[in-house]
Amino acid sequence: MCGIAGALNYPKFSLDEIYALMRHRGPDSKGAFWDSTLRGLLQFFHARLSIQDLSTLAHQPMIFEDLCLAFNGEIYNHLSLREGLDFAFQTHSDTETLLGLFWQHGESFLERLNTLDGMFAFALYDKKNQKIYFGRDRMGKKPLFYYKKDSKFAFASELNTLCGILKRTNDLQVDFGALGFYLQSGFFYQDGAPYKEVFSVPNGHYGILDLSTFALVFKPYFSLESLYQSPKITDEQEAVRICESLLKQSIQNRIESSDLEVGAFLSGGIDSSLIVALASEIKPNLRTFTISFEGTHFDETPLAEKTASRYHTRHSTLKICTNLVQDVPKILQSYGRPFFDSSAIPSFYVAKAAKEHLSVVLNGDGADELFGGYRRYVGHLLLPKVVPFGFLQDFLPNPKSKQSLYNYLYRLLQMANAYKRNLAEYYLAASTDIFVGFYSFESVYWQGFQQDIERVFKGESSPLSQMLLLDAKNLLLCDLLPKMDIATMAHSLEARSPFMSKMLVEFAPKLSDSLKVHGMTTKYLLRRLAQKYLDDEVVNAPKRGFEVPLVSWVEGELRELIWDSLHSSQIAQEFLPKSKIESLLNAPQKYSCEKRAKMLWSLFALEIWNQKLKEKEWN
């Protein structure tokens, strides 16, 4: 796992100058490459976290003849891809495998990126043909942002690194339309950025920048949507057998492809518990980690300890002590854009604690979005029966508890009302649920988002498949994966996600709906598999992520910081009338506790990002 960056037609940067911006992603070594091109000076930079092939021969950028490659990520099946190549390999690194594949097959290799099982983002310079190639993994686990305007081009693994490059020549300009979309949705459209001309390389795509014309073209090599059109697997026993086999293989690949020890995050839920159970068969005496986070009303430690004891892991409960007032602004600013998801805070702490023990961990990311793990999927399937009663929400008091049955029913009615108004608004009401029903923000990205939502909802896939697909394209891509990437890489920790392997990503969409949501039971197939490996108490535990006590944070430890930020607002008042902000701050009785806390948190995150933007030096 690493950090990559580059610039075309910019003043020459020193290696130390760029490395200072991304050292946390790769503290083991640094490298740079400079070359004159048709479009001016080309610069590649690399920060390496050594996981595969620890030798100096695997350092980057990696050069062979007229090719130069800067790579971030892991390719778990890369050694099998070397078969038949006429290339004299000097290392057993996946970076050199990609270099060898491109050297032998040229541009046509990009069309076969779907053969790779891994998480990756890369930039490859072909000096002979004066082209730069980019690629990103199928689900978008590894980030890659780019800027292109006039004769300038730049890219980086993180927005803060890219911003450091763009600030050098005053190319960093705020995109207020992107910020309006963030406030409405809780994420950036297509995993984008709050800056003009800054975008993400699309997941499941490769790009070609032709230096002779300066044209940049992206082409897809993977389509999750097409997989949902496949014939469905309906036999439960067969599905459990296949899922078990594929998950075992995915875990084995992620353990055996590391030259360092691999551990695992272990919560009380079935995703991480299943991974630990199967990983323990492959690697006895596995290290596992659970966090005990002060201030939460739910403690997963007892459930995690049941699984750890059953599989004799070397288990550690990491007791997280926090200084939220001091830490929260720094954590939020590490994302390089306003970040709404408050679970980024405990994610940051657990990654920091785990890094004290090792550098590679397994996690359960992707299981909910592929196998149907959220309670709202049940609500989505019940929607046709609920829509006629949506009007009742107007006569009901605001819910006081997030986990209550009343809150669940209230949210269903809220979703029903939004469904009658607008499908995009309905999707947000069913997912992030921030300002829906309270305020609408203008954004040039809103129309594109509406069209995306309507196209999926009006397609031929089943209602559940439609929601799963939208969550993969929005929540997973634009929120959950960036959250984990930044949280772990801030501490030079690599997180590997077995549920997001090539095999399982291609398998899960082919399952019938009833194997995902069965009556009121979510993630049905994984629960059936879990019965073979886990205690009943773990199998039947309800879905919970990091249970962030957001309401108590907003009204307690962070109250003064949030109130001061919004009372002296430098940017929130550009989007929301001061009277609305004052109402949120001073009239809590008008709103449900959880919704009000989320609205205040999203505005606070906007202010914290803006403070970072105003700094003279970007570091």
Side-chain angles (χ1 to χ4, degrees):
M1 199 70 69
C2 310
I4 63 176
L8 178 64
N9 202 19
Y10 273 82
K12 186 174 183 179
F13 296 97
S14 70
L15 172 55
D16 288 343
E17 189 176 2
I18 302 301
Y19 186 61
L21 297 171
M22 60 181 187
R23 182 183 183 278
H24 54 278
R25 294 189 73 93
D28 296 329
S29 69
K30 57 186 177 181
F33 168 84
W34 294 272
D35 192 56
S36 297
T37 74
L38 290 171
R39 294 284 164 174
L41 177 65
L42 174 66
Q43 310 175 67
F44 274 18
F45 301 94
H46 193 270
R48 186 184 185 206
L49 176 62
S50 301
I51 305 293
Q52 284 188 21
D53 195 325
L54 309 184
S55 72
T56 57
L57 291 174
H59 284 183
Q60 297 188 51
M62 188 174 285
I63 301 168
F64 182 77
E65 295 184 354
D66 286 334
L67 301 177
C68 177
L69 174 62
F71 175 78
N72 170 34
E74 303 288 352
I75 308 299
Y76 305 111
N77 65 333
H78 79 95
L79 291 178
S80 66
L81 299 176
R82 293 184 173 193
E83 297 174 5
L85 291 183
D86 183 21
F87 188 87
F89 289 101
Q90 303 298 309
T91 74
H92 64 268
S93 75
D94 47 5
T95 305
E96 192 179 20
T97 299
L98 289 186
L99 200 60
L101 285 165
F102 192 89
W103 177 82
Q104 181 150 325
H105 298 290
E107 197 170 296
S108 65
F109 162 66
L110 298 173
E111 299 172 3
R112 294 184 286 171
L113 284 176
N114 199 34
T115 62
L116 308 183
D117 178 24
M119 50 181 180
F120 59 85
F122 67 80
L124 189 150
Y125 170 51
D126 182 347
K127 180 174 183 177
K128 180 179 179 181
N129 295 303
Q130 286 293 284
K131 291 182 179 181
I132 305 175
Y133 301 94
F134 302 90
R136 192 175 178 199
D137 64 73
R138 59 181 60 78
M139 300 298 284
K141 195 168 188 302
K142 288 293 100 184
L144 188 58
F145 297 94
Y146 70 92
Y147 169 89
K148 182 178 182 290
K149 186 179 180 182
D150 300 327
S151 60
K152 293 179 180 178
F153 184 86
F155 66 88
S157 295
E158 291 187 9
L159 281 170
N160 281 344
T161 305
L162 185 58
C163 290
I165 294 173
L166 300 184
K167 272 202 165 186
R168 175 80 170 265
T169 51
N170 297 316
D171 288 326
L172 193 65
Q173 303 294 325
V174 173
D175 184 343
F176 284 89
L179 290 172
F181 184 86
Y182 153 77
L183 287 171
Q184 193 70 48
S185 66
F187 50 85
F188 285 84
Y189 182 53
Q190 296 182 343
D191 193 29
Y195 312 107
K196 292 181 179 179
E197 312 302 335
V198 175
F199 307 96
S200 274
V201 171
N203 62 298
H205 283 66
Y206 64 86
I208 304 173
L209 178 63
D210 189 329
L211 299 183
S212 64
T213 63
F214 208 54
L216 175 62
V217 177
F218 288 106
K219 298 180 181 180
Y221 67 83
F222 170 77
S223 170
L224 183 63
E225 196 161 354
S226 65
L227 290 174
Y228 278 103
Q229 308 299 326
S230 304
K232 300 302 179 186
I233 300 170
T234 58
D235 186 287
E236 183 176 309
Q237 290 186 337
E238 179 70 2
V240 170
R241 184 191 65 78
I242 296 173
C243 185
E244 179 180 25
S245 175
L246 295 180
L247 184 55
K248 280 183 178 179
Q249 187 62 57
S250 298
I251 293 169
Q252 184 171 349
N253 290 349
R254 280 149 183 77
I255 290 176
E256 294 182 350
S257 62
S258 173
D259 290 334
L260 300 178
E261 182 183 7
V262 178
F265 288 146
L266 176 59
S267 70
I270 66 171
D271 303 338
S272 64
S273 299
L274 256 179
I275 288 173
V276 166
L278 296 174
S280 295
E281 294 183 353
I282 300 163
K283 180 182 173 57
N285 210 26
L286 179 76
R287 278 183 179 266
T288 55
F289 304 94
T290 300
I291 62 165
S292 176
F293 190 65
E294 60 182 18
T296 61
H297 59 270
F298 178 76
D299 184 7
E300 292 188 300
T301 302
L303 292 179
E305 288 178 347
K306 281 182 176 289
T307 302
S309 176
R310 180 168 175 171
Y311 290 98
H312 309 290
T313 70
R314 286 181 291 159
H315 187 63
S316 300
T317 297
L318 308 175
K319 297 185 181 300
I320 305 298
C321 298
T322 65
N323 183 336
L324 293 178
V325 173
Q326 175 180 306
D327 294 341
V328 164
K330 295 177 183 177
I331 294 171
L332 292 179
Q333 288 178 346
S334 66
Y335 285 84
R337 53 186 172 183
F339 199 74
F340 161 73
D341 191 339
S342 56
S343 67
I345 309 306
S347 297
F348 184 91
Y349 283 123
V350 71
K352 180 180 180 181
K355 177 61 180 181
E356 296 178 3
H357 300 270
L358 38 65
S359 294
V360 187
V361 291
L362 304 176
N363 68 20
D365 284 359
D368 291 312
E369 294 77 17
L370 288 168
F371 290 91
Y374 297 117
R375 285 196 310 167
R376 56 190 172 82
Y377 294 150
V378 177
H380 179 62
L381 297 178
L382 292 174
L383 191 65
K385 298 179 180 179
V386 179
V387 167
F389 302 99
F391 71 94
L392 292 174
Q393 182 204 358
D394 298 333
F395 302 97
L396 296 175
N398 291 317
K400 301 298 182 183
S401 173
K402 178 181 178 181
Q403 297 298 332
S404 66
L405 176 61
Y406 177 76
N407 179 64
Y408 184 69
L409 295 174
Y410 187 91
R411 285 284 308 278
L412 273 179
L413 296 175
Q414 181 186 39
M415 289 161 57
N417 279 337
Y419 185 81
K420 289 185 288 187
R421 293 192 300 268
N422 181 288
L423 287 176
E425 191 173 330
Y426 162 70
Y427 176 71
L428 295 179
S431 52
T432 51
D433 185 34
I434 312 173
F435 284 95
V436 173
F438 175 74
Y439 196 81
S440 295
F441 299 89
E442 293 184 4
S443 172
V444 295
Y445 299 97
W446 184 247
Q447 184 177 0
F449 180 68
Q450 283 184 308
Q451 291 173 348
D452 293 344
I453 299 295
E454 290 175 1
R455 180 179 57 80
V456 173
F457 273 143
K458 294 178 180 179
E460 296 181 358
S461 298
S462 69
L464 178 59
S465 294
Q466 291 167 356
M467 188 61 86
L468 291 168
L469 179 62
L470 287 173
D471 278 354
K473 293 165 70 73
N474 293 286
L475 291 187
L476 188 64
L477 174 66
C478 306
D479 173 13
L480 301 177
L481 296 182
K483 176 186 72 177
M484 186 55 66
D485 177 79
I486 294 295
T488 53
M489 293 308 295
H491 303 100
S492 308
L493 179 71
E494 177 171 299
R496 298 184 170 188
S497 308
F499 283 110
M500 296 180 65
S501 70
K502 168 181 167 58
M503 297 172 288
L504 286 169
V505 166
E506 293 176 350
F507 167 72
K510 299 174 184 177
L511 293 169
S512 65
D513 287 355
S514 63
L515 292 176
K516 296 172 183 174
V517 176
H518 194 83
M520 299 294 288
T521 302
T522 58
K523 213 150 41 183
Y524 177 75
L525 182 69
L526 291 188
R527 293 187 194 278
R528 289 285 291 110
L529 175 58
Q531 288 173 355
K532 180 177 177 180
Y533 291 97
L534 306 174
D535 293 355
D536 289 343
E537 191 176 357
V538 177
V539 173
N540 298 319
K543 165 66 184 171
R544 301 177 185 270
F546 280 125
E547 285 296 300
V548 174
L550 186 60
V551 174
S552 62
W553 281 1
V554 169
E555 289 294 349
E557 190 173 352
L558 292 175
R559 178 185 170 90
E560 184 176 351
L561 181 61
I562 293 174
W563 261 244
D564 287 349
S565 295
L566 295 182
H567 274 308
S568 58
S569 168
Q570 298 296 308
I571 191 167
Q573 291 184 34
E574 297 286 332
F575 297 93
L576 198 65
K578 187 175 181 179
S579 60
K580 292 282 189 181
I581 297 176
E582 292 293 334
S583 176
L584 283 171
L585 291 171
N586 303 317
Q589 70 279 1
K590 291 184 178 181
Y591 315 97
S592 72
C593 298
E594 194 71 27
K595 190 175 181 71
R596 171 176 173 265
K598 289 196 290 186
M599 288 189 282
L600 288 172
W601 183 264
S602 67
L603 294 169
F604 171 64
L606 177 67
E607 291 291 343
I608 293 298
W609 163 80
N610 189 59
Q611 291 175 18
K612 176 76 173 179
L613 183 68
K614 300 303 181 184
E615 293 179 3
K616 291 183 179 180
E617 296 296 327
W618 201 279
N619 51 47

